[in-house]
Structures are given as structure tokens and as C-alpha cells.
């Protein structure tokens, strides 16, 4: 039986509101669509910008546990689609045995992926410029957002999306993802790249993505050594905020069709 439920996992600096077009689109195709917020992120964007305290309280294990609790209660395994940090979380969820199939879009890397393009350094510099940010929720100015998320959008479009979607990010989690490759033992974003029981996984890249360039997903995909399907697609001309860029409908349909064909 093909999956009838889709779980959408958002990334950092945004909330589930960033999936608003995809939720409606997939519901119109007859799917049940869930787009859970991270624990504490259930309020509106405006509330998190006014008081980012809930952002500081979140941890990767809490986020993963939250999604596992939701997905494990579903009657059948869903399609899991994650964007940015949500792409890394999608990989972790699949590695933990959840989901019928997964799609990691403009995905942040899991542990062991050490490719760091210069545009990624510039995009994350607002957080990583100071170790003190490990204890802060760090917002992006519009100029920083435009470079990292909407560099292929007009200034008017980028500003409107910044105002509608953008929230601060947890500096501690971002610093932890950087340090994970230099600390002994498994860290929060570790996955078993040899797990043959993992559901099929598709990496999706936007060619113009600054914060998570295609080289990151290419390296991440190459790390997998299991016999399970692992594929990668790249869409020319797309920035990091691919789910909101003109033409997103085609990508939404193509990745879902791939997922339905490969769902276990």
C-alpha cells in the first residue's frame, strides 16, 4: 500500500509556516499532511520573534524524540520530507527505522560530512562568529537572509518572505553541528551510513543554494554505504528557500512521485 500521509520537517530560522504552500498542494492531491513544529515552536512566527526563549530551550534529541512520537503513532509509515536542518533530521528519523521513504531538500549534513563551501561559511557567520552565540537565539538581518535563503529572489520577494517566515536560530545547535566532527563518539546528528534497513532516501539540491550548497548534499549522499536506495537530484537556479521559489510545484510533484515509487 502506497503511503497516504506526508510529514514535513522544517529547518532552522523558520517554522512550519514555511511549508504553507506544500501543505495545501499535497492536501489537494488527497494526502494527509502533517507539518509539526519543533517543541516550543508551536506559536506563530511573530511570537517567537518577540520572545525567542522557546528556541533556546530546544535540543536535537528533543526534536527527534518529538517527531518520532508523532510518526510512530501513525497507522502506516509516511513519506518524510525535510528541508535544511529538517533534511538532516529526516535522515536521522529514517536511520531510526521510521518512514516509508524520505526526501532531504537542501539538507544540512549529518555527522561526518566535512565539506564546508565558502558560501556556507558566510551564510552561517552571523552565528559562528562568536562562541557566545552558543547561548543565544540568533536572528538574521534582511541582508543576511537574502544572501543565505533568497539570493535568487527579487529584493521585494525576499523581504516579504523574511517578514513572514524568519525567526532566530538556536546558536547552540548550530555550534554543536560544527563541533560534532571534532568530538569523540556519536553526536546528535550521527546516522549509521551502513544501515541496510533504512528507507530509501532522495537528496534534493538547489544549484544556487548558499547556506547548504549542492556539494554538501553530494558529499552526504556519498557517505552512505548501505544497499538501500540513495539518490540525488539538483534543480538549476534554485536558492535555499526552494519550497517558496517560483516553480516549486513541479519540484513538489516530482519528489513526491519519486517517493511513492520507492516507498517500501
Amino acid at each position: 500500500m502506497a503511503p497516504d500521509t506526508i510529514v514535513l520537517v522544517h529547518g532552522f530560522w523558520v517554522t512550519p509556516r514555511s511549508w504553507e504552500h506544500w501543505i495545501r498542494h499535497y492536501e489537494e492531491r488527497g494526502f494527509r499532511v502533517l507539518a509539526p513544529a519543533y517543541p516550543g515552536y508551536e506559536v506563530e512566527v511573530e511570537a517567537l520573534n518577540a520572545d525567542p526563549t522557546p528556541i533556546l530551550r530546544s535540543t536535537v534529541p528533543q526534536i527527534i524524540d518529538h517527531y518520532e512520537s508523532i510518526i510512530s503513532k501513525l497507522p502506516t509509515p509516511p513519506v518524510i520530507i525535510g528541508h535544511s536542518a529538517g533534511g538532516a533530521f529526516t535522515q536521522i528519523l529514517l536511520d531510526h527505522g521510521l518512514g516509508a521513504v524520505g526526501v532531504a531538500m537542501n539538507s544540512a549534513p549529518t555527522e561526518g560530512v566535512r565539506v564546508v563551501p565558502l558560501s556556507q561559511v558566510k551564510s552561517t557567520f552571523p552565528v559562528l562568529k562568536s562562541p557566545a552565540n552558543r547561548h543565544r537565539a540568533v536572528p538574521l538581518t534582511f541582508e543576511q537572509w537574502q544572501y543565505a535563503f533568497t539570493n535568487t529572489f527579487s529584493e521585494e520577494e525576499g523581504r516579504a518572505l523574511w517578514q513572514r517566515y524568519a525567526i532566530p536560530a538556536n546558536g547552540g545547535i548550530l555550534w554543536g553541528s560544527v563541533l560534532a566532527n571534532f568530538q569523540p563518539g556519536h553526536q546528535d546528528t550521527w546516522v549509521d551510513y551502513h544501515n541496510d534497513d533504512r528507507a530509501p532516501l532522495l537528496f534534493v539540491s538547489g544549484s544556487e543554494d548558499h547556506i547548504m550548497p549542492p556539494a554538501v548534499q553530494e558529499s552526504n549522499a556519498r557517505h552512505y554505504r548501505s544497499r538501500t536506495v540513495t539518490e540525488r537530484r539538483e534543480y538549476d537556479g534554485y536558492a535555499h528557500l526552494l519550497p517558496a521559489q517560483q516553480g516549486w510545484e513541479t519540484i513538489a510533484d516530482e519528489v513526491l512521485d519519486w517517493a511513492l515509487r520507492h516507498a517500501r
Side-chain angles (χ1 to χ4, degrees):
M1 180 184 297
D4 60 3
T5 301
I6 301 169
V7 176
L8 301 173
V9 186
H10 67 90
F12 295 147
W13 280 298
V14 296
T15 72
R17 186 187 286 183
S18 63
W19 286 117
E20 58 185 342
H21 303 308
W22 291 54
I23 294 169
R24 182 175 63 253
H25 186 73
Y26 284 152
E27 286 178 341
E28 289 174 351
R29 285 192 56 171
F31 289 88
R32 178 189 184 192
V33 184
L34 306 177
Y38 300 163
Y41 288 55
E42 296 87 357
V43 298
E44 295 293 342
V45 166
E46 294 77 11
L48 286 172
N49 280 315
D51 179 13
T53 304
I55 295 171
L56 281 173
R57 294 182 183 139
S58 63
T59 67
V60 171
Q62 287 174 347
I63 293 169
I64 297 299
D65 287 347
H66 180 62
Y67 280 91
E68 287 185 343
S69 176
I70 293 168
I71 294 171
S72 63
K73 292 184 176 74
L74 296 175
T76 56
V79 176
I80 305 175
I81 302 177
H83 176 253
S84 194
F89 298 155
T90 295
Q91 295 180 63
I92 295 169
L93 292 167
L94 264 59
D95 186 50
H96 290 184
L98 298 168
V101 63
V103 179
M105 300 176 54
N106 301 89
S107 182
T110 43
E111 185 177 335
V113 179
R114 301 194 178 193
V115 172
V116 185
L118 289 176
S119 68
Q120 185 181 54
V121 174
K122 181 176 179 179
S123 297
T124 55
F125 187 71
V127 175
L128 302 180
K129 66 182 179 181
S130 171
N133 285 336
R134 297 176 68 177
H135 309 288
R136 296 171 179 161
V138 183
L140 296 178
T141 66
F142 167 65
E143 291 74 17
Q144 292 165 343
W145 165 273
Q146 185 79 336
Y147 181 83
F149 277 76
T150 55
N151 52 294
T152 60
F153 295 61
S154 70
E155 180 176 344
E156 181 180 4
E157 290 173 317
R159 188 175 293 277
L161 292 167
W162 175 67
Q163 293 172 339
R164 179 155 181 77
Y165 293 157
I167 62 169
N170 184 313
I173 293 179
L174 291 169
W175 265 96
S177 67
V178 171
L179 297 175
N181 289 329
F182 306 98
Q183 294 176 329
H186 300 327
Q187 305 302 309
D188 291 343
T189 57
W190 181 84
V191 296
D192 179 3
Y193 292 119
H194 298 271
N195 181 4
D196 291 330
D197 295 326
R198 191 212 74 212
L201 172 63
L202 174 66
F203 285 92
V204 173
S205 304
S207 68
E208 306 308 309
D209 188 345
H210 279 169
I211 192 168
M212 295 297 168
V216 175
Q217 291 91 55
E218 182 180 2
S219 177
N220 202 157
R222 284 202 309 266
H223 274 68
Y224 282 98
R225 294 291 185 267
S226 63
R227 293 190 294 272
T228 306
V229 173
T230 305
E231 296 183 5
R232 192 177 75 87
R233 289 186 182 181
E234 184 173 323
Y235 286 91
D236 188 47
Y238 280 84
H240 188 64
L241 199 62
L242 181 153
Q245 187 168 337
Q246 185 176 359
W248 63 264
E249 298 93 337
T250 297
I251 299 175
D253 286 337
E254 289 182 359
V255 301
L256 180 58
D257 291 345
W258 183 96
L260 296 175
R261 289 197 307 272
H262 290 86
R264 63 182 185 183

